[in-house]
Amino acid sequence: MAKGRIEINEANCKGCTLCMIACPQHVIQMATDRVNVKGYYPAMLVDPEGKCTGCAICAVACPDVCITVYRQVSVRQSQAAAAGAG
Amino acid sequence: MAKGRIEINEANCKGCTLCMIACPQHVIQMATDRVNVKGYYPAMLVDPEGKCTGCAICAVACPDVCITVYRQVSVRQSQAAAAGAG
Amino acid sequence: MTISAVEEKVVYQRPESLSDVPTHYCPGCTHGIAHRLVAEVLDELGVRERTIGIAPVGCSVFAYKYFNVDSAVAAHGRAPAMATGIKRVLPDRVVFTYQGDGDLAAIGLAEIVHAATRGENITTIFINNAIYGMTGGQMAPTTLPGQHTTSSPGGRDIEITGFPVRMAELLAGLTGTAYVARRSLHNVKEINRAKKAIRTAFETQLAGLGFAMVELLSSCPTNWHLSPPEALQWIEDYMVPYYPLSDYKVIEPVQDLMKR
Amino acid sequence: MTISAVEEKVVYQRPESLSDVPTHYCPGCTHGIAHRLVAEVLDELGVRERTIGIAPVGCSVFAYKYFNVDSAVAAHGRAPAMATGIKRVLPDRVVFTYQGDGDLAAIGLAEIVHAATRGENITTIFINNAIYGMTGGQMAPTTLPGQHTTSSPGGRDIEITGFPVRMAELLAGLTGTAYVARRSLHNVKEINRAKKAIRTAFETQLAGLGFAMVELLSSCPTNWHLSPPEALQWIEDYMVPYYPLSDYKVIEPVQDLMKR
Amino acid sequence: MQEEIIFAGFGGQGVLFAGQLLAYTALAEGKHVTWIPSYGPEMRGGTANCTVVVSDEPIGSPVTKHPSIAVVFNNPSLEKYEELVKPGGLLVVNQSLITIETHRTDITIVRIPATALASEMGDVRLTNMLLFSAMLAQRPVVSLETAQEVLLEKLGARKAEMHALNLAALARGWELGREATPASESA
Amino acid sequence: MQEEIIFAGFGGQGVLFAGQLLAYTALAEGKHVTWIPSYGPEMRGGTANCTVVVSDEPIGSPVTKHPSIAVVFNNPSLEKYEELVKPGGLLVVNQSLITIETHRTDITIVRIPATALASEMGDVRLTNMLLFSAMLAQRPVVSLETAQEVLLEKLGARKAEMHALNLAALARGWELGREATPASESA
Amino acid sequence: MAVELMKGNVALAEAAICAGVQAYFGYPITPQTELLEHMAKRMPELGRAFVQAESEVAAINMVYGAACAGVRAMTSSSSPGISLMQEGFSYIAASEVPCVVVDVMRGGPGLGNIQPSQSDYFQLTRSAGHGDYHAIALAPASVQEAIDLMGLAFDLADKYRHLVFVVADGLIGQMMEPAELPPMQPITRRHDDWALTGADGRAPHVITSLQLNAPDLEALNQRLQAKLRIIHDTEQRSTEMLTDDAQLVVVGFGTAGRIAQTAVQQARREGMKVGLFRPITLWPFPEKRLSALADQVSAFLVVEMNTGQMIEDVRLAAGGQVPVTFYGRTGGVVPVPEEIYDAIRDLYRKLQSRPARE
Amino acid sequence: MAVELMKGNVALAEAAICAGVQAYFGYPITPQTELLEHMAKRMPELGRAFVQAESEVAAINMVYGAACAGVRAMTSSSSPGISLMQEGFSYIAASEVPCVVVDVMRGGPGLGNIQPSQSDYFQLTRSAGHGDYHAIALAPASVQEAIDLMGLAFDLADKYRHLVFVVADGLIGQMMEPAELPPMQPITRRHDDWALTGADGRAPHVITSLQLNAPDLEALNQRLQAKLRIIHDTEQRSTEMLTDDAQLVVVGFGTAGRIAQTAVQQARREGMKVGLFRPITLWPFPEKRLSALADQVSAFLVVEMNTGQMIEDVRLAAGGQVPVTFYGRTGGVVPVPEEIYDAIRDLYRKLQSRPARE
Ligand SMILES: Cc1ncc(C[n+]2csc(CCOP(=O)(O)OP(=O)(O)O)c2C)c(N)n1
Ligand SMILES: Cc1ncc(C[n+]2csc(CCOP(=O)(O)OP(=O)(O)O)c2C)c(N)n1
Ligand code: SF4
Ligand code: SF4
Ligand code: SF4
Ligand code: SF4
Ligand code: SF4
Ligand code: SF4
Ligand SMILES: [Mg+2]
Ligand SMILES: [Mg+2]
């Protein structure tokens, strides 16, 4: 499994929970301890075991484009991909 | 063949020729010697041989509802028809 | 069978639902035939006294003078809205609109589609003559590709103006419609078929089954620049192929009506 | 294959065609997803700099703030007319309208049908959320039978209001349309399919093939009185069956495009 | 000099074109001119008429209640316009189609059997040209020569035969107009 | 007597209902009253506020620049309305959510930790009732008794538990309102 | 009926119901929507017609249709929607069918916003649509008056077979105030002499605004104008306050007039001789009374929630006798009494510093 | 260009083409149709855009769109069609995009007829649609002036980014008269600073009339009003004849003004000191010049082909100084000089029998 992580733009998050529900790894949770400036409980990545695969499903599900997704790739692989695309 | 005749409301006729063209017996002609109040050459029944069958096709074709159609029917027949319809 | 005597019977005369006044239509214009068919159907169904007709803006704007029924003239394209207003407060009256292709398919498109999709229990007689007659022969939404009009002087160019719209097909696709048919007025056989469709359309309303429309291919000798017989031929040769004559929507209860 | 080093790559981030401002949409409203998909497609096609978007009157009236492209706000329902005006004078620009169901299917019905039947070379993104969102939840032409809204408080009664109108089917029936599809935004799989359709719709325009529309089933948690996840479920359970997801019209040259 | 001329008849009688010919001719002669049709409610058939004002000065009103000249092609037009012609004015009557009597004695009235003559000449559509030049013969609002030139120009690429026929009609109308004993004088 | 009261906060905080309760109560007491919301551009979230005018006389303007009372539920509302309260007026502050300082010394300012208290009482939605009756305690625009009756009526067929909770909130707010040391005095 | 706290939009709807409206057709638009929503609930309950139209264009033409059938029919909208109805208005006026239309005005031009405004004054009072006519326009300043004028609107519409506007704004539409509804009026058939109901035992009735022959259309216009003159002469309505000895009279309609009332009272408290004149009929504009006041006062101050529309009517009524000045807010900004007071005070001072008027 | 005999409608179309109109959108309606038909032929020939819209509502919104792209765009219609465009007008004015609209007015109200009329004066000059603004309105009285004003219309529209009406009537539209077209103007790109052309190398341009925040919309209105004040102060246009020593001045625009000219000349011939004032801009109304005349004359006689609309502006300009009387024909009836002369004579006699004005 690829390794990934996400960053959530908390200020823009509306706490709709759709990313949380979409994530196949169940590594997104809603904050309960804080609200953002708009008064929403933002989503957050809770991934102590590093289960996030960087699949970007959460980002696709998010109506507010709050999620940036990162994935770890081997340099060789990525070079190969880049070459292939050229 | 049933016998019939038609009356054409000359004043309303616009000389469009559609009745003439529609009549299967070719017994309608356009006047050439006179125009009506609107300046049209009206259609007229020219049926010296009594070929008109009263089929009403001309009336159906006339856009200006100028034509009244009469047909000769035997009284017996018509009574029978009336009885049948009762 | 012995024929005892011969009597002369009137087999065709002006229907009562048609006022006894000459129309302003051009010679050979089949608007007149459409009027007569509607009037005959109203007579036959015995509903003249409880019928309300809505005339459009178009050559048939004077339809109120010709139909011997209560009538109003709608704003251009809005006859279906006006009919809706009337029918909703007088549901037991027979309400019909009579509209041209500019009226129904251009400016009034939203109104007819929504009346239809609401299943408004009214009847629409739609005169498709592929032209704006009243204003002197401009392109209508139904003008055929290549057809010359005063606003498509080089012939309708589909690259620029798009395609003629087929209203019967369009309305038939809506769930709310009960009966939608296209007929033509270009010869006696078709005229008779048109009348049957018109009758079915009104019967649909009388049975409370919802929206019914009959599209009638109709001539405009004047703006087509053809003689009346040529104009009928043009319908047959050019319009019928583009606008096939058919029943496009007959919901089951209407099929039952038609069987009777 | 030996992996020599591990690097972190960005695999998803905000598209350039989307301005970096928060939207005013309610939590969970899929208007936001539709925006994002359009923006991604504009990015991918590299046309942002020559795109002109037309926002409607409706919840997406502020779309001009969110799309990072030249834009205008049309009068309610008139986006297709406005887009026509622009496209006719700037044929090499990419012009799209973004419209809600009240906007496109009610007040603007004539404009969308005529833009489509003219084969206007524009792209329409149609957000069907079965409700008037912006004005607080009244019945839309697309409101489902039985659905409760503020103007159908007892549930939409088809006897009185008629049937929801299926716009994709209706527009697909017009000769002028090149590509018409319906997609949904209720889960990730459908979102991805929606994006492909949006891409095809814009490619259709780029290839000069004529009018393209993608209808998107979209949520309105607020006026449906459901939580965002419930709202997505409601789309799946109730909207999709009434509004089947499919390609309704793909003219041949567009099929070729899709194969590439 | 200012003349207000009304041409009036049925649609299809060439009424509007007669007026336009006058207008074009006036323009060719450097005069001020206006031409307005009264466009009737009906598509066709029905009434057609137009008003032409020709003047040496810039023209104020292009309409008038009392024209100085009326050229009437049919009965309804006569009925309407005989009354209205200015005292001292001219009324040109299409004798062939007009069956009712005139009664004004304070204007010049000339009668031309234009439709009949036009038929004789081979084309009923020449009626308007006959009446037009008869009018000019009585009141040279513009010169016949210019009118002939303008007419040929307007007929343009049509057959030479047509040109000849129209010129003949203008000439014939002029003659008749000159010869005509005005009704007012004979009365 | 005329008082102009502004209730201001976020949508969802029961701001509009607090105003309506005041309006219904005023009506029940035979007073003249107007209630107007300022309906914001956004669907929801965003700002919600309403102005209530209560008077013994027929009411002219239902809006005012300078209310005699402002009940503010959140920071933006405090920022906006502290300035505007009439000298001698009253400002009721939801201490729980308002973090910024007040500075007026010519008005009475009372602070109620309403949201916190409401949560304590088991329903955060009681915030508005707490602030409402705190206001009444300071300025008896209407009587608490009538307000209680009207509230019960408005709650209608809801659970008895709800009734009790709301009444309790009104009572608690009243107490707090009476006890509160106005900031202006303490300042 | 008891006094209840009612929202303006709901009160307008319910008052129409009490007045026997049998058909409502409308299209949602803020800040009018509660009116439509109330009708959506109530009309079917009462077995009356409610249709949410596909647009304002359709709505007004549905009203036109229902009114042709002789029943009380109405629609409601807000500024952009009212613009879309202009053609329909013109047809209705020309056809002389009674219709009632509520305009809950909002900020413009264009899409503008949904805040209160009075900037439809021109399009409602001059000629709503093309052609020569004025609709009757009634402008309430309170929820109770909204109720009362709604009933009056239907009565005037029927009496004159004419189009009547009830001219509210977002503030009146959204405001709650105690008010009392009139008793529910029984539904009676009206207009059997011209309405479309089917030509049963009588000649067909025809309703049309078409008169292709110019003299016929001129005759129609003359008939219309004669009717409008009667309305003009008999239906002018206004209310005033403290005008008896006023040197300065503030003129404002609807919400602006009401807000000005507080400013005028304030000015009086400070010794200024100021009064308030509030037109209730915007057309016919209450020019008779205002002309009379022009003889007495030294100036008018017109207050509107627009850039100055009714001021033309005030100037026409004043006939150049007294200066007419203006204070207005636009774009949905509602003026507060304080700023109107300032305008009054400034003008009043100027007047004082001028020689008194004889 | 040579002087040619041209029909008004065709002249308007061709003049727009000379002025560089790049897009025409319209819908047929008598008596305007020849304009559309001419465009249908000419625009494609020139490679410019012509679309026969599905309705007037669509047409004006297409114009709005094309104008947003920075090109010269126009539509034309007649009274009922103009009513349908009111919402679009309001959006255009609020968005400050330059558009030109020709109204060839016909008899109303309602469907009315297709004869000439001037009864759209109110709906064109007051506020075309909801909200606070006035469009510029230019009224030609001859075919040549129609051509000239058509060019001016585009220039003013571009200069002020505003909506401009060319206000003709059926008579001007149908009349043939010698006139000369201006040279064909080269098409140049305009308005690159705000037009929608794609955000290539710059921040996106946005055109909207939405301002949800009331103070923002008020600011927009203030900007609009400031612009309108400039237009008001600088663009008043009128023409006059024989006014120097006139005691009675006839005021009429377009066709009515032109017909009145003949009546005035007749009156002069009979020794009456009568002049003619013909507003060319209906908005801004040429009140400066008319006010000046009000100081000189004893009375104004307003002549319109309606029941009295511009008379309000004349009365406002006259400011109560002199009596303003009215002569009008409606419903498509075109007044003839003779009847206007009678009205002049009657009024003049009355003036003579009154003590002279100092
Ligand atoms: C709002 C409006 N726009 C335009 C017109 C002008 N107009 C009158 S009839 C008509 C079109 C008529 O065409 P159609 O509906 O096809 O009827 P037809 O005359 O061909 O029977 C038009 C555009 C009008 N009266 N009102
Ligand atoms: C002419 C006009 N009529 C009505 C409105 C009010 N209005 C604004 S948005 C809207 C409907 C929005 O619904 P929809 O198009 O479905 O978009 P959504 O908000 O659901 O995305 C309406 C009726 C308006 N602005 N203009
Ligand atoms: S990238 Fe995939 S695994 Fe990671 S949080 Fe998002 S949905 Fe879950
Ligand atoms: S989907 Fe987006 S907006 Fe919704 S909770 Fe997740 S990050 Fe927040
Ligand atoms: S009734 Fe038949 S046969 Fe007789 S004239 Fe008519 S069409 Fe011919
Ligand atoms: S069809 Fe009718 S109108 Fe035509 S020629 Fe025959 S009778 Fe006359
Ligand atoms: S113009 Fe055409 S449609 Fe109209 S009456 Fe004449 S032939 Fe018929
Ligand atoms: S009201 Fe509905 S459509 Fe509008 S933003 Fe909210 S959820 Fe989305
Ligand atoms: Mg047609
Ligand atoms: Mg929607």
Side-chain angles (χ1 to χ4, degrees), chain C residues 26 133-134 222, chain E residues 41-44:
Chain C
C26 307
M134 186 183 223
T222 299
Chain E
E42 263 114 49
M43 282 304 87
R44 59 216 51 76

Side-chain angles (χ1 to χ4, degrees), chain G residues 1-239:
Chain G
M1 294 272 149
V3 171
E4 289 173 81
L5 199 62
M6 263 182 287
K7 198 170 218 195
N9 279 332
V10 172
L12 283 162
E14 198 58 37
I17 288 170
C18 292
V21 69
Q22 267 185 278
Y24 175 93
F25 308 93
Y27 189 78
I29 185 167
T30 314
Q32 159 271 172
T33 305
E34 296 92 345
L35 203 171
L36 175 141
E37 289 172 345
H38 189 78
M39 288 299 196
K41 196 170 129 281
R42 289 282 283 149
M43 294 294 274
E45 277 174 18
L46 296 164
R48 306 187 190 176
F50 168 87
V51 177
Q52 182 177 320
E54 58 272 29
S55 70
E56 292 87 352
V57 172
I60 190 65
N61 284 288
M62 290 176 185
V63 170
Y64 186 17
C68 284
V71 309
R72 291 192 153 180
M74 72 174 287
T75 186
S76 57
S77 190
S78 179
S79 312
I82 295 293
S83 289
L84 285 172
M85 295 184 184
Q86 301 281 317
E87 190 202 23
F89 294 155
S90 184
Y91 272 72
I92 287 167
S95 309
E96 300 189 79
V97 295
C99 296
V100 172
V101 175
V102 177
D103 181 7
V104 185
M105 297 180 286
R106 61 186 241 179
L111 185 49
N113 64 23
I114 58 177
Q115 315 300 326
S117 164
Q118 299 186 319
S119 59
D120 291 359
Y121 185 89
F122 276 144
Q123 81 164 352
L124 296 173
T125 60
R126 281 307 176 275
S127 60
H130 59 287
D132 283 294
Y133 72 96
H134 298 275
I136 298 174
L138 309 174
S142 69
V143 173
Q144 184 64 56
E145 200 174 23
I147 291 169
D148 299 344
L149 293 184
M150 197 75 210
L152 179 64
F154 280 103
D155 291 343
L156 292 176
D158 276 331
K159 179 168 176 192
Y160 295 109
R161 292 177 54 178
H162 200 46
L163 174 64
V164 181
F165 293 123
V166 176
V167 186
D169 61 56
L171 190 137
I172 298 210
Q174 301 293 327
M175 179 169 61
M176 292 179 86
E177 225 182 348
E180 191 173 3
L181 287 163
M184 188 75 92
Q185 210 166 299
I187 303 254
T188 47
R189 266 224 63 77
R190 293 179 181 87
H191 308 305
D192 278 332
D193 49 330
W194 57 262
L196 307 182
T197 53
D200 195 358
R202 58 160 172 77
H205 288 166
V206 172
I207 296 179
T208 176
S209 65
L210 175 71
Q211 294 293 351
L212 272 185
N213 190 20
D216 294 347
L217 186 57
E218 181 161 65
L220 167 77
N221 270 298
Q222 279 158 356
R223 202 172 67 234
L224 265 178
Q225 291 299 321
K227 174 169 91 177
L228 293 178
R229 255 191 312 277
I230 292 172
I231 299 174
H232 178 268
D233 292 346
T234 55
E235 303 292 353
Q236 295 183 15
R237 286 171 170 78
S238 60
T239 178

Side-chain angles (χ1 to χ4, degrees), chain D residues 31 57-60 76 99-104 107 127 129 131-135 138 140, chain G residues 27-30 56 77 80-81 84 106 111, chain H residues 87 91:
Chain D
H31 262 303
V57 179
C59 277
S60 48
H76 192 29
Q99 305 179 254
D101 42 3
D103 194 75
L104 179 142
I107 193 168
I127 305 295
N129 59 7
I131 202 100
Y132 284 32
M134 187 184 222
T135 42
Q138 296 78 30
Chain G
Y27 189 78
I29 185 167
T30 314
E56 292 87 352
S77 190
L84 285 172
R106 61 186 241 179
L111 185 49
Chain H
E87 189 201 23
Y91 272 72

